[in-house]
Amino acid sequence: MQTHSCVLLSKGAEADIYHTTWYGNKAISKVRMEKPYRQKLLDYEIRKNRTVHEATMLSIAKGVGVRTPFVYFVDPIATEIVMEFIEGESIKKKINQDLALQMGKCAGLLHINNIVHSDLTTSNFIKVKDNRLVLLDFGLAFFSERLEDKAVDIRLVKEVLYSSYVSICAKVFSKFLEGYSLVIGQKTSQATLRKVREIELRGRYSRIT
């Protein structure tokens, strides 16, 4: 292990995130911490499997054309991933139509390869120097061919855009869908959007009943 001093950046429900170095390069260490409410051996197996799975998903997503942090090192015993530190800024406060188009293309690349991210929020996209996006946090990602699972991904994007960017939500979501369609195809995109509406109607019905 060639990391040096670690500075805690954030504590999450799933893992703690540290700023560190790896062979002289800036790096991020993501460590899944022990959960005292779980049986010890079960907890360890869950954390180990999720650590290996996330590192694998990061690499697979990169392989299909989505920019993700490079994975330097995986330690299943310590349930730690050391990965590239991405120099840039979150698009959470910088969203515009061009970035939304890029978000859509990223989602399309994932979905056409049956990867569901499960946390496609603006907080997980970093804009780097060349104005392109890097997608973070594959802790909840999984493989699925189901249209429903992919629609849930798109539904989350829509919820985030419409709740956080009220004045431009329709325009940026339209651009997101444009980027998505460019990659995944108009027919599949329309089918996914119909499924999104179906999920929304289900939610409204359940609240009424």
Side-chain angles (χ1 to χ4, degrees), residues 127-140:
K127 185 179 76 168
V128 295
K129 285 182 179 179
D130 62 2
N131 288 321
R132 292 177 65 192
L133 297 182
V134 178
L135 180 56
L136 311 178
D137 198 351
F138 280 72
L140 299 174

Side-chain angles (χ1 to χ4, degrees), residues 100-154:
L101 183 77
Q102 287 193 60
M103 282 180 65
K105 289 179 179 178
C106 285
L109 283 168
L110 293 176
H111 287 181
I112 205 168
N113 289 283
N114 295 321
I115 301 168
V116 177
H117 184 273
S118 298
D119 199 14
L120 283 176
T121 67
T122 49
S123 298
N124 281 330
F125 283 93
I126 301 293
K127 185 179 76 168
V128 295
K129 285 182 179 179
D130 62 2
N131 288 321
R132 292 177 65 192
L133 297 182
V134 178
L135 180 56
L136 311 178
D137 198 351
F138 280 72
L140 299 174
F142 62 97
F143 289 109
S144 176
E145 297 181 6
R146 295 178 68 236
L147 189 62
E148 173 107 3
D149 292 331
K150 296 170 185 178
V152 169
D153 250 5
I154 305 305

Side-chain angles (χ1 to χ4, degrees), residues 172-200:
V172 291
F173 186 58
S174 176
K175 275 293 179 181
F176 171 87
L177 291 176
E178 181 183 330
Y180 187 72
S181 297
L182 284 171
V183 175
I184 208 156
Q186 192 68 31
K187 185 177 179 180
T188 305
S189 177
Q190 288 175 351
T192 307
L193 200 54
R194 284 195 297 271
K195 183 61 73 172
V196 169
R197 294 191 185 112
E198 181 185 313
I199 293 168
E200 290 172 336

Side-chain angles (χ1 to χ4, degrees), residues 18-22 25-29 72 82-85:
Y18 297 89
H19 187 196
T20 186
T21 58
W22 180 259
N25 297 313
K26 288 183 180 180
I28 291 292
S29 168
Y72 293 139
V82 181
M83 65 191 93
E84 176 188 7
F85 177 83

